[in-house]
Amino acid sequence: MTDLLRRLRTRLTQDMFGPRRPRAERAPARKGPHNLFDAAATHVAACAEGDEERGAEAAGWVSPEALAFGINELACRALIALARERRQSPQEVARDLLSLPAA
């Protein structure tokens, strides 16, 4: 199950941000205030890429509650996009991703 989630995160990250590039080639760190969606996107992408340092940094940009809300919103949008791509219901896709039997 963990492998399935890791593959999904990698695929979503690549679809949203392109293939992973070495840290030296990435854009410089953003200066200025961060919003909850910026923090959520950075945190989830960093987790998908295995970059714990960047994920922890993004988690500190907003309150834990705001980060949780942003991550939830990102998950909902990703699930809807994947369901449309697969031409399945979000419920079917969510259960498949979590290796749950069909409802």
Side-chain angles (χ1 to χ4, degrees):
M1 183 167 96
T2 303
D3 186 49
L4 177 65
L5 291 174
R6 185 176 295 118
R7 286 193 319 251
L8 172 65
R9 286 189 313 214
T10 301
R11 182 172 178 199
L12 290 173
T13 302
Q14 288 178 348
D15 287 349
M16 292 171 57
F17 303 108
R20 185 174 179 192
R21 298 176 298 179
R23 190 180 262 307
E25 294 178 17
R26 293 183 195 155
R30 175 183 164 166
K31 295 185 179 185
H34 299 278
N35 66 39
L36 67 103
F37 296 116
D38 183 23
T42 301
H43 179 74
V44 171
C47 289
E49 295 173 348
D51 189 345
E52 294 178 18
E53 182 180 320
R54 191 165 50 110
E57 178 185 349
W61 294 345
V62 295
S63 72
E65 295 83 12
L67 182 63
F69 175 81
I71 290 171
N72 183 62
E73 185 66 23
L74 178 60
C76 289
R77 292 180 188 195
L79 184 63
I80 290 168
L82 191 56
R84 286 181 183 157
E85 182 181 298
R86 292 183 177 187
R87 296 175 191 228
Q88 295 178 316
S89 73
Q91 176 72 19
E92 291 172 314
V93 174
R95 295 187 70 80
D96 182 47
L97 292 173
L98 295 171
S99 300
L100 297 172

